[in-house]
């Protein structure tokens, strides 16, 4: 792969610390978690196995996985005070703000008293995020107080069950599983770096994760999956998509779901989620959204050599599963909390406060003119 330009704005290409968690754009395969190719993991593992790998360094045995799933299952319930807060957040709030508030409120109720509790608190957040978003969503949109302590086997299944009020089919549970694996970890991306900066002050895990959610929310990062959906649903045919994209490019508009800060030729997660989107399109009999998405991919590559990142085909995949667009980025949180927390642990294990320098471009030194003399 060609190297991206080092230096300049956005700290691009600069090494800002060490990690044993993942490589991005280094190996031929593009993305590895603790030495495993993400494609291999997505083909052979459940998300909980990957979460275990990210946290504990090795893939679990059958018994370890069963134990770990049991631990997570036991942590799905929400305290009454958190439910009351969620009920007071308006229906038109952005669900990422709900995630941010939910995380912060949980930190008030069940805070990290010492770093010895870091793994337990990370597990709690991993188990509770689907409950938080679904409790709020179903209360404010459907007027029901849902039970969040379900017996669903997987985190993805738990989420879809609470969202719809019925257990998902095997295909949907599997796609959620793959999606959560693809989003779990990605080196020093903006939200993870936010978490590490916060951790470097020796702050608590809930503060680190709350900050990371704020960074993920933006459309240049995790928010791109929602923005991509808003784009593709405007088009009724591939030809219309092509004509409109060309106009947008002419106006130098950013097309969400394309391009990447590190990858130069492709995002290895795209081919995987694209396949699942195609399967789901066939399952629901779609003849518009998937072909529109494929044409967008072709046009962007042909015109700008820009490729789909992880977010683009997630939009159609989630849509085919009936997930409301505004819940797309919260799903990213449900997964990335693993990577964020593991980075916090790494930062703590070998910490120095992150405090870079700035190039000063303001006025020269000057004297204060007393307020009575300022005109
Ligand atoms: C899970 C994730 O977070 S993946 C990223 C999700 N974000 C998006 O999909 C938002 C759209 N994409 C983008 O804004 C960018 O590609 C980013 C933020 C992902 C990466 O930003 P950068 O590293 O600064 O991009 P890069 O240096 O490759 O940009 C090169 C050129 O391509 C343009 N470009 C990059 N992405 C796009 C895009 N999606 N649409 C149109 N033009 C683009 C840039 O404006 C830049 O043009 P210029 O040289 O005329 O200024
Ligand atoms: O690495 C990045 O800059 C963004 C990204 O793809 C991710 O966080 O998954």
């Amino acid at each position: 792969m060609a190297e991206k330009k080092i230096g300049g704005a956005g700290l691009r290409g600069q090494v800002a610390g060490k990690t044993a968690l993942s490589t991005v754009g280094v190996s031929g395969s593009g993305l590895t978690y603790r030495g495993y190719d993400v494609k291999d993991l997505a083909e052979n593992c459940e998300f909980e196995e990957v979460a275990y790998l990210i946290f504990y360094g090795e893939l679990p045995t059958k018994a370890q996985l069963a134990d770990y799933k049991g631990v997570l299952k036991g942590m799905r319930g929400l305290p009454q005070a958190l439910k009351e807060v969620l009920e007071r957040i308006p229906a038109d709030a952005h669900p990422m703000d709900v995630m941010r508030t939910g995380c912060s409120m949980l930190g008030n109720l069940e805070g990290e008293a010492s770093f010895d509790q870091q793994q337990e608190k990370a597990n709690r957040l991993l188990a509770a995020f689907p409950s938080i978003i679904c409790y709020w969503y179903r209360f404010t949109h459907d007027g029901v107080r849902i039970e969040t302590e379900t017996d669903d086997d997987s985190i993805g299944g738990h989420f879809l069950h609470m969202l719809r009020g019925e257990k998902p089919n095997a295909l949907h549970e599997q796609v959620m599983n793959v999606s959560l694996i693809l989003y779990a970890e990605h080196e020093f991306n903006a939200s993870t770096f936010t978490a590490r900066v916060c951790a470097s002050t020796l702050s608590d895990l809930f503060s680190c994760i709350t900050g990371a959610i704020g960074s993920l929310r933006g459309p240049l990062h995790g928010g791109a999956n929602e923005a991509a959906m808003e784009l593709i649903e405007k088009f009724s045919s591939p030809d219309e998509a092509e004509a409109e994209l060309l106009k947008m490019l002419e106006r130098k508009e950013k097309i969400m779901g394309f391009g990447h800060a590190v990858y130069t030729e492709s995002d290895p997660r795209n081919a995987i989620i694209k396949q699942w989107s195609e399967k789901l399109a066939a399952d629901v009999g779609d003849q518009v959204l998937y072909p529109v998405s494929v044409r967008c991919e072709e046009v962007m590559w042909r015109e700008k050599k820009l490729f789909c990142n992880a977010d683009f085909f997630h939009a159609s995949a989630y849509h085919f599963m009936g997930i409301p667009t505004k819940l797309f980025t919260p799903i990213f949180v449900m997964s990335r909390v693993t990577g964020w927390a593991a980075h916090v642990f790494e930062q703590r294990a070998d910490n120095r406060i992150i405090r870079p320098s700035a190039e000063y471009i303001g006025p020269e030194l000057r004297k204060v003119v007393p307020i009575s003399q300022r005109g």
Side-chain angles (χ1 to χ4, degrees), residues 4 12 183 219-222 224 249 253-261 269 300 306 309-311 332:
K4 276 242 173 184
R12 193 70 74 258
Y183 273 145
L220 295 190
H221 192 10
L249 290 174
E253 285 176 34
K254 276 254 164 95
I255 315 297
M256 298 306 170
F258 286 88
H260 199 272
R269 298 166 294 184
M300 290 298 284
L306 283 167
N309 57 46
D311 284 329
F332 200 151

Side-chain angles (χ1 to χ4, degrees), residues 24 31 182-192 216 220-222 259-263 267 269 309-311 332 336 340:
V24 172
L31 173 59
L182 297 182
Y183 273 145
E185 159 56 15
H186 219 246
E187 199 222 35
F188 276 29
N189 60 84
S191 55
T192 299
L216 189 71
L220 295 190
H221 192 10
H260 199 272
V262 180
Y263 299 122
D267 179 331
R269 298 166 294 184
N309 57 46
D311 284 329
F332 200 151
R336 185 57 61 87
W340 289 334

Side-chain angles (χ1 to χ4, degrees), residues 220 227 230-231 234-235 241 243-259 299-300 303-304 306:
L220 295 190
E230 281 152 21
L231 176 76
K234 285 189 202 146
F235 307 134
E244 290 306 314
L245 270 191
L246 290 175
K247 285 187 214 156
M248 289 174 78
L249 290 174
E250 182 80 28
R251 294 193 297 266
K252 301 227 169 306
E253 285 176 34
K254 276 254 164 95
I255 315 297
M256 298 306 170
F258 286 88
V299 171
M300 290 298 284
E303 296 294 320
K304 292 280 170 191
L306 283 167

Side-chain angles (χ1 to χ4, degrees), residues 96-312:
M96 284 296 276
D97 297 345
V98 178
M99 295 298 259
R100 199 189 57 219
T101 298
C103 181
S104 187
M105 183 64 185
L106 202 59
N108 284 294
L109 299 171
E110 304 175 4
E112 188 189 24
S114 89
F115 290 174
D116 296 344
Q117 298 178 341
Q118 63 181 18
Q119 186 60 61
E120 178 199 332
K121 299 299 171 187
N123 289 341
R124 173 66 166 138
L125 282 170
L126 180 59
F129 274 137
S131 304
I132 287 173
I133 197 61
C134 290
Y135 187 88
W136 168 79
Y137 185 82
R138 297 293 311 280
F139 181 80
T140 54
H141 291 66
D142 301 334
V144 292
R145 292 189 167 96
I146 58 164
E147 178 53 73
T148 63
E149 291 182 70
T150 75
D151 66 348
D152 294 294
D153 183 58
S154 69
I155 290 175
H158 178 227
F159 168 72
L160 290 178
H161 185 179
M162 288 184 295
L163 182 64
R164 302 168 173 168
E166 60 184 29
K167 284 186 182 282
N169 66 29
L171 173 64
H172 289 191
E173 191 164 1
Q174 194 174 0
V175 176
M176 279 306 297
N177 186 49
V178 170
S179 167
L180 294 172
I181 290 174
L182 297 182
Y183 273 145
E185 159 56 15
H186 219 246
E187 199 222 35
F188 276 29
N189 60 84
S191 55
T192 299
F193 198 58
T194 302
R196 285 192 81 129
V197 170
C198 188
S200 82
T201 70
L202 301 184
S203 188
D204 69 294
L205 182 68
F206 292 89
S207 297
C208 299
I209 304 297
T210 302
I213 294 170
S215 287
L216 189 71
R217 184 191 195 288
L220 295 190
H221 192 10
N225 55 16
E226 294 178 19
M229 186 65 221
E230 281 152 21
L231 176 76
I232 56 179
E233 71 188 349
K234 285 189 202 146
F235 307 134
S236 52
S237 72
D239 285 349
E240 187 191 347
E242 173 154 0
E244 290 306 314
L245 270 191
L246 290 175
K247 285 187 214 156
M248 289 174 78
L249 290 174
E250 182 80 28
R251 294 193 297 266
K252 301 227 169 306
E253 285 176 34
K254 276 254 164 95
I255 315 297
M256 298 306 170
F258 286 88
H260 199 272
V262 180
Y263 299 122
T264 54
E265 290 162 7
S266 66
D267 179 331
R269 298 166 294 184
N270 177 52
I272 304 169
I273 195 63
K274 184 181 171 186
Q275 268 181 4
W276 286 103
S277 174
E278 188 177 11
K279 269 200 184 80
L280 289 163
D283 186 56
V284 298
D286 166 78
Q287 299 200 333
V288 177
L289 211 56
Y290 185 77
V292 157
S293 303
V294 170
R295 182 70 71 85
C296 290
E297 183 178 34
E298 287 165 5
V299 171
M300 290 298 284
W301 184 253
R302 188 187 72 214
E303 296 294 320
K304 292 280 170 191
K305 292 286 168 284
L306 283 167
F307 50 86
C308 297
N309 57 46
D311 284 329
F312 191 70

